[in-house]
Amino acid sequence: MRALREAMSGIRRAPVLTLLSVMAIGLSVFSIGLFALTAHNIDVALSDVEGRVEVVAYLRDDASEEQIAIARHEIESFPEVESARYVSKVEALYEASRELTEFSDVYSDLEVNPLPASLEIRLEPDHRTPDDVEAVADRVSAYQFVEEARYGREWVDRIYSLRRVAGGAAAILGISFATGAALLIGIAVRMSVLARSREIAIMQTVGATDGYIRRPFLVEGLVTGLAGGLLALGLTWGSYEAVQRTLVSLAWLPVPWTAAGLAFAGILGMLAAGRAVRRELRRLDVH
Amino acid sequence: MVQLRSVTKSFGGSSAAVQDISFHLRKGEFAFLTGDSGAGKTTVLKLIHMLHRPTSGEVRVSRYSSSRIRRRDLPGLRRRVGYIFQDFRLLENLTAEENVAFALEVTGMPRAKIGPRVQKLLSQVGLAARAQAFPRELSGGEQQRVAVARALANEPLVLLADEPTGNLDERASAGVFGLFQKINASGTSVLMATHDAELIRRHRDVRVIELEQGRLVFDSAGETE
């Protein structure tokens, strides 16, 4: 309670400095927010494409219905597999003529259906990596009545590397922005600590422990950080709305991301404050 | 109580701020620490308060030794050694009462006990009626009394006063000095740094430790331990 009271009093005593700190944190976290919004939307787009990754096992014409039913059951029990749909020769022809309308006449004139029956195997979201897709394709190919298993290897590889690049870029830029934000906050909080250097020295003189001296500053850093986080959230939301209305439809950040962003801003404020006070305590320390 | 043994402190310059100083301030003793400006009086007080660490030699305050004390023990020592500055060093945004309470809060004393104790301390220094005043509303003498009440809050074994009357007029100085005598009479040792020769002359019964250019040149107790 004392720490909170002191922190609030510190904020009231130096409103301009506090406002500067909030803006420093707000703008830094806002840049992270914008990046997170972009990264999230790239992720959503990639997940959409990735969701279409499937292994198609083309079946020989002599495969019996019983064999297919057993195989389908077995394939669906693979941990990597979400579902396996049987597409009969008739359905394949129907779908082909529906999807490729320019060849519909050719399909209708056929005397023998040349399209094979198949099993369309969808993979679990966690198992859409190139290795898993290839492994499932290999296992499925092992069935005698499977003529061939295809999965668009190039696409899977490309999507997977795109995702890795996006993830890596997100991590690098996120760390860079966070470091910049921490430096800015550090400067702002250090100014606040220096403004109260005399007070800290008096506290030491009367026998205050480091923890007692540090606590109000940590709370002040937390409050300032959270305020900066809310500012960043507001700015990110404003940008999202602006883009949404004028340019392109976007997905808003998931709730855990915004909560993590706020917590991050608060913790950043607290850590920066802690570092600034520690430096000041060392400066005033016995020498 | 307070013992300095061959203490030298240098800050990296060509000459030491204090050099080879030894003296012993006993329990309940009152002493003036005198000398011209720059003689090393404040350095000696800061060495005793362990704001400075000796370059060589040892400072002992009760069970605390400068050569063995750990960082986490410093708050404990400083609660047992009251320190009074020439410029009072009160927190401007706190009332007299809150300035004194503050020294008790840092020790973790329960709030219920702090109130009555602060009232008692302010009465002891004659400021009970000005408890709600802010430092800017108090005279220099009154501010110094608040500082004394704050220094006494944790019942220190020894009170260090650095030119406590330096900023006060004659009447206020006499009042503050009288307060120190009263505190000393109750058993607290007092070491008061001053270059007020008149004050020292008026109190011939008080021990005088004199410094000159960082060296101890005179001790009326005749001992240099």
Side-chain angles (χ1 to χ4, degrees), chain A residues 73-272:
Chain A
H73 184 70
E74 281 175 1
I75 291 167
E76 278 190 327
S77 69
F78 292 176
E80 301 92 339
V81 173
E82 187 181 86
S83 66
R85 183 171 83 96
Y86 173 64
V87 180
S88 68
K89 284 172 72 73
V90 177
E91 282 169 332
L93 187 63
Y94 172 72
E95 281 180 15
S97 62
R98 203 186 55 178
E99 285 173 15
L100 305 167
T101 48
E102 57 274 38
F103 297 114
S104 58
D105 290 345
V106 178
Y107 289 129
S108 60
D109 291 344
L110 290 171
E111 287 178 9
V112 179
N113 180 356
L115 299 180
S118 62
L119 281 173
E120 290 180 359
I121 302 159
R122 284 178 62 83
L123 301 179
E124 292 284 358
D126 292 347
H127 293 285
R128 288 170 188 165
T129 62
D131 287 349
D132 281 352
V133 177
E134 192 176 353
V136 170
D138 286 349
R139 284 179 74 181
V140 170
S141 301
Y143 285 99
Q144 274 189 340
F145 53 85
V146 170
E147 187 82 53
E148 187 185 13
R150 288 191 183 170
Y151 60 91
R153 184 188 184 102
E154 279 177 24
W155 268 105
V156 173
D157 284 348
R158 201 169 294 169
I159 291 168
Y160 199 70
S161 11
L162 257 175
R163 185 175 275 276
R164 281 170 61 178
V165 168
I172 291 166
L173 285 174
I175 290 168
S176 311
F177 282 132
T179 310
L183 286 175
L184 276 175
I185 299 162
I187 293 167
V189 180
R190 181 133 178 81
M191 282 164 70
S192 161
V193 169
L194 282 175
R196 285 154 72 185
S197 166
R198 187 172 173 273
E199 192 178 328
I200 293 174
I202 294 172
M203 286 190 195
Q204 281 189 325
T205 305
V206 297
T209 58
D210 287 354
Y212 182 92
I213 297 171
R214 208 180 288 133
R215 268 194 295 275
F217 288 102
L218 293 183
V219 173
E220 191 177 328
L222 178 69
V223 171
T224 310
L226 285 176
L230 283 173
L231 174 68
L233 187 61
L235 289 172
T236 311
W237 175 261
S239 310
Y240 160 78
E241 279 290 319
V243 173
Q244 177 99 322
R245 280 183 195 166
T246 54
L247 293 171
V248 63
S249 172
L250 288 177
W252 175 243
L253 296 170
V255 174
W257 286 37
T258 53
L262 273 178
F264 172 72
I267 291 168
L268 205 60
M270 206 160 76
L271 289 178

Side-chain angles (χ1 to χ4, degrees), chain A residues 5-6 9 13 199 202-203 212, chain B residues 90-103 105 130-138 146 150:
Chain A
R5 206 173 54 238
E6 282 288 308
S9 139
R13 261 182 282 160
E199 192 178 328
I202 294 172
M203 286 190 195
Y212 182 92
Chain B
L90 299 176
L91 293 171
E92 296 298 324
N93 57 317
L94 301 185
T95 61
E97 186 178 62
E98 288 166 343
N99 263 290
V100 180
F102 169 70
E105 281 171 11
R130 315 277 345 244
Q132 299 304 320
F134 285 93
R136 61 178 176 278
E137 298 164 343
L138 298 170
V146 177
R150 182 181 66 188

Side-chain angles (χ1 to χ4, degrees), chain B residues 34-108:
Chain B
T34 189
D36 294 336
S37 294
K41 302 187 293 292
T42 301
T43 304
V44 167
L45 295 185
K46 286 187 171 174
L47 282 162
I48 296 170
H49 205 227
M50 300 205 188
L51 282 165
H52 291 329
R53 202 182 288 280
T55 308
S56 64
E58 186 192 16
V59 177
R60 288 186 69 91
V61 180
S62 185
R63 63 186 174 87
Y64 299 97
S65 160
S66 62
S67 49
R68 284 194 303 274
I69 195 162
R70 288 165 300 183
R71 187 180 159 73
R72 63 167 180 270
D73 296 327
L74 289 170
L77 163 87
R78 289 178 186 153
R79 290 171 198 174
R80 308 303 282 153
V81 181
Y83 201 111
I84 293 159
F85 302 88
Q86 182 175 358
D87 59 355
F88 326 128
R89 306 229 179 145
L90 299 176
L91 293 171
E92 296 298 324
N93 57 317
L94 301 185
T95 61
E97 186 178 62
E98 288 166 343
N99 263 290
V100 180
F102 169 70
L104 294 164
E105 281 171 11
V106 306
T107 67

